[in-house]
Amino acid sequence: MVEDKKSMKMDVETECALEQEDIKSGKRSGDYILEIRGISKSFPGVHALSNVSLQLKRGEVLALVGENGAGKSTMMKILAGVYTLDAGDILIDGESVIIGSVERATNLGIALVHQELNLCDNLTVAGNVFLGREPKKGLFNKFVDTERLNNDTAEVLKKVGLSVSPSAILRELPIGTQQLVEISKALSINAKIVMFDEPTSSLSEHETEQLFKVIRDLSKQGVSCIYISHRLGEVKEVADRVVVLRDGKLSGCLEKHEINRDAMIRLMVGRDIEKMYQKNHTVSDKVRVELKDFIVPKRASYPIDLTIKGGEIVVLSGLVGAGRTELLHAIFGIDKRWGGKIFIDGSEMHINTPAEAIKAGMVLVPEDRKLNGLVVNMEIDNNIALPGLKDHLSKNGFINRDKVDELADRMVKLLDIRLYMTSQLAESLSGGNQQKVVLAKWLSMDPVFLLLDEPTRGIDVGAKAEIYKLLEDLAQTGVAILVASSEMQEVLGIADKIVVMCEGRVTGELDPLTCEEEDVIKLATESAVC
Ligand SMILES: Nc1ncnc2c1ncn2[C@@H]1O[C@H](COP(=O)(O)OP(=O)(O)OP(=O)(O)O)[C@@H](O)[C@H]1O
Ligand SMILES: [Mg+2]
């Protein structure tokens, strides 16, 4: 069996190496919309891509997978004109091209749906979708033709199944909807190549299905797609072919019939992952956290009662917009609750601000790392130290640098954050590694009540297993844990208790040992109840 796996891997590797040689020497070309020949790109201290070649057929859906920091986004950004390459060639329709700018990429028909939302949140949906390309009217075409802008936008929104007004202000929309606006923006240029960098990380299952339909339609029309995701189930569902990157190099290719989870993981991390979820912790009999008649702002009709025992992992499940983030924000004092009480270890806590929440022993690992979690233009070590600076990391008003360094090193090791040095800026890390810095920052506070909002969003399989293990260890020490998660496997895999929400209301509690996926979905969608 082991031999079989080894020889299969060798075959794939040899095939890939031969293909690489052929591409580089120009022997293979033909009906490819895109060919990448031996491209390399370095940043200070890291070879993000080393001599990578690949081809994309017309109408093909090619998935690009790899661990956090493997170089996937870098490759997409080169194709989208955000970064220039250090070496190598890019051919579009058999012609060698120099991309160099986002405008040039757009003219070549290349569109990128960015991993991190790349929108202006003070503009309308339509303003975002056609930013810089607004239809004009009037003398010398000086004025934006708002009517046409809104109509054109409504057409594109229809394609992704989004029923939001083109004149809605972006920041007032939930993050999943914003993600769909980002996708609409890419579709609006009628591209030949559309690249999706983790497009589903904040989409609900239904929205994800809608996106797959869009991708299949694009493919039928001959548009080629490159699809990046850490959700390997999705990759299997949508991809015609998979290319795996590892440490900036091509690690293997899988044809449609070879695509399966284990094969992808092996090429990604070079080993099998033993067990994703392991429940070894014991839940205490004592309630550690209790919410009584808790009212989230604007949800006055739905008071929430919730208990979390010591060492218990309670998972909030629901569709995008179910009100999970709102609940976490109200508990943590980001938004002032409208009523009700919070008890920790039997004592009532008066929490009206995050500072008071932290004082009471809570921490919140937020969903939107750029907005709430990370100071991107600050060093990694200082980001990690931020919550403890006023407290245990300083003395007499001075920061204890040794303690900060020791903490940063410990957390980097614990979460296996892939970096060059802890003093580099957080924005220079790959998306998943940025997420790990956010986790490190809050876990360093040793909380008694840990709140996490989509903690593994954008995290690769290996690191996911590590994070689950970490939650497991924290639960073992008696911490009460409340996690909002949209990934069904994760919900069922880590929860001691599942609390399902729909439109701001708790619709039921389930025991993961006895419930099925359908039970969760039913409670999350029961419109009669909501
Ligand atoms: N602007 C930058 N400055 C410095 N280093 C960078 C920059 N962008 C990327 N890197 C580094 O290049 C490497 C590849 O990063 P990239 O973002 O391409 O990874 P990825 O495969 O997209 O990972 P993830 O799954 O976490 O999004 C990483 O080591 C990252 O830290
Ligand atoms: Mg990335």
Side-chain angles (χ1 to χ4, degrees), residues 43 46 48 67-74 83 115 198 230 428-433:
F43 296 107
V46 35
E67 284 182 293
N68 295 133
K72 305 177 297 290
S73 297
T74 303
Y83 294 154
Q115 181 171 15
E198 283 189 55
H230 289 294
S428 69
L429 288 180
S430 76
N433 281 300

Side-chain angles (χ1 to χ4, degrees), residues 82-182:
V82 179
Y83 294 154
T84 49
L85 39 73
D86 297 343
D89 272 324
I90 295 174
L91 285 83
I92 305 274
D93 273 329
E95 297 277 324
S96 178
V97 292
I98 294 172
I99 300 179
S101 74
V102 176
E103 201 186 353
R104 173 92 176 114
T106 309
N107 290 336
L108 285 166
I110 304 174
L112 171 61
V113 178
H114 283 267
Q115 181 171 15
E116 306 295 332
L117 291 179
N118 213 10
L119 301 167
C120 305
D121 63 3
N122 54 339
L123 294 184
T124 62
V125 169
N128 269 290
V129 170
F130 284 96
L131 188 65
R133 297 177 291 122
E134 298 87 350
K136 298 285 172 59
K137 66 175 182 185
L139 198 59
F140 306 116
N141 267 345
K142 263 194 164 171
F143 302 100
V144 173
D145 184 344
T146 316
E147 197 183 333
R148 225 183 98 200
L149 175 68
N150 285 344
N151 288 342
D152 290 355
T153 305
E155 278 300 306
V156 193
L157 296 181
K158 222 192 275 165
K159 276 195 203 165
V160 295
L162 198 55
S163 57
V164 62
S165 159
S167 52
I169 301 292
L170 194 89
R171 83 167 93 77
E172 284 160 12
L173 303 173
I175 190 161
T177 311
Q178 292 188 21
Q179 184 101 338
L180 288 171
V181 172
E182 171 101 39

Side-chain angles (χ1 to χ4, degrees), residues 41-49 64-77 83 115-116 197-198 228-230 245 247-248 369 380 418-420 424-436 458-460:
K41 173 77 184 171
S42 293
F43 296 107
V46 35
H47 295 296
L49 292 171
L64 194 59
V65 301
E67 284 182 293
N68 295 133
K72 305 177 297 290
S73 297
T74 303
M75 184 185 279
M76 297 301 96
K77 285 184 187 164
Y83 294 154
Q115 181 171 15
E116 306 295 332
D197 196 348
E198 283 189 55
I228 297 180
S229 181
H230 289 294
L245 285 180
D247 295 332
R369 58 179 165 255
I380 295 162
R418 307 281 170 93
L419 43 68
Y420 171 54
Q424 82 191 67
L425 297 183
E427 66 189 350
S428 69
L429 288 180
S430 76
N433 281 300
Q434 288 185 15
Q435 176 72 352
K436 290 195 211 169
I459 298 250
D460 70 49

Side-chain angles (χ1 to χ4, degrees), residues 239-526:
D240 297 316
R241 203 156 57 91
V242 173
V243 164
V244 188
L245 285 180
R246 187 162 154 211
D247 295 332
K249 299 191 187 79
L250 199 114
S251 152
C253 321
L254 298 167
E255 295 299 329
K256 181 96 189 154
H257 66 277
E258 296 168 322
I259 303 174
N260 67 60
R261 204 183 138 77
D262 287 348
M264 284 189 272
I265 291 178
R266 230 171 290 129
L267 287 170
M268 275 167 77
V269 297
R271 63 185 157 87
D272 291 317
I273 290 187
E274 289 300 314
K275 213 165 174 218
M276 205 64 184
Y277 310 102
Q278 34 201 322
K279 274 189 198 153
N280 300 324
H281 66 276
T282 36
V283 178
S284 129
D285 297 332
K286 269 205 189 132
V287 169
R288 247 202 127 170
V289 176
E290 184 172 9
L291 304 187
K292 257 191 186 161
D293 291 327
F294 192 88
I295 300 177
V296 173
K298 298 187 198 147
R299 307 282 195 186
S301 352
Y302 304 130
I304 291 172
D305 289 313
L306 181 71
T307 57
I308 309 170
K309 293 176 183 153
E312 188 174 35
I313 302 179
V314 175
V315 180
L316 293 172
S317 180
L319 304 180
V320 170
R324 294 164 297 171
T325 298
E326 289 164 52
L327 173 60
L328 294 182
H329 281 193
I331 297 174
F332 197 63
I334 295 172
D335 301 320
K336 198 169 163 5
R337 67 178 184 275
W338 279 13
K341 292 179 176 174
I342 304 178
F343 297 87
I344 295 184
D345 293 329
S347 312
E348 185 180 349
M349 298 287 150
H350 298 279
I351 294 160
N352 294 306
T353 61
E356 283 169 354
I358 293 171
K359 228 181 190 165
M362 290 187 202
V363 303
L364 168 68
V365 180
E367 177 182 25
D368 187 337
R369 58 179 165 255
K370 264 202 176 161
L371 201 61
N372 306 313
L374 205 63
V375 185
V376 284
N377 53 1
M378 192 198 246
E379 300 78 9
I380 295 162
D381 46 9
N382 287 335
N383 261 294
I384 295 176
L386 213 50
L389 278 186
K390 265 190 171 167
D391 189 21
H392 58 278
L393 296 175
S394 61
K395 208 174 171 189
N396 304 329
F398 291 99
I399 295 171
N400 185 333
R401 211 51 241 179
D402 287 345
K403 273 195 172 174
V404 169
D405 291 346
E406 186 272 324
L407 171 73
D409 288 343
R410 185 162 55 85
M411 295 314 283
V412 163
K413 214 182 256 162
L414 184 71
L415 291 167
D416 190 20
I417 302 174
R418 307 281 170 93
L419 43 68
Y420 171 54
M421 51 188 182
T422 52
S423 59
Q424 82 191 67
L425 297 183
E427 66 189 350
S428 69
L429 288 180
S430 76
N433 281 300
Q434 288 185 15
Q435 176 72 352
K436 290 195 211 169
V437 173
V438 178
L439 270 171
K441 170 177 162 182
W442 292 113
L443 293 180
S444 70
M445 294 296 287
D446 293 330
V448 290
F449 181 21
L450 174 62
L451 303 118
L452 307 114
D453 200 353
E454 305 287 355
T456 61
R457 189 177 141 198
I459 298 250
D460 70 49
V461 266
K464 249 185 205 173
E466 285 161 27
I467 287 174
Y468 298 147
K469 167 89 177 47
L470 202 79
L471 293 185
E472 206 28 60
D473 292 348
L474 284 168
Q476 192 60 43
T477 63
V479 177
I481 302 177
L482 182 61
V483 191
S485 170
S486 299
E487 251 190 81
M488 194 56 77
Q489 289 315 313
E490 178 170 291
V491 172
L492 296 169
I494 65 171
D496 295 310
K497 178 165 87 180
I498 302 171
V499 173
V500 190
M501 293 185 73
C502 178
E503 293 183 12
R505 164 179 179 163
V506 171
T507 48
E509 284 191 10
L510 295 166
D511 179 349
L513 291 178
T514 53
C515 78
E516 302 278 338
E517 202 171 316
E518 290 73 47
D519 303 326
V520 182
I521 295 171
K522 206 164 156 228
L523 283 174
T525 52
E526 251 174 34

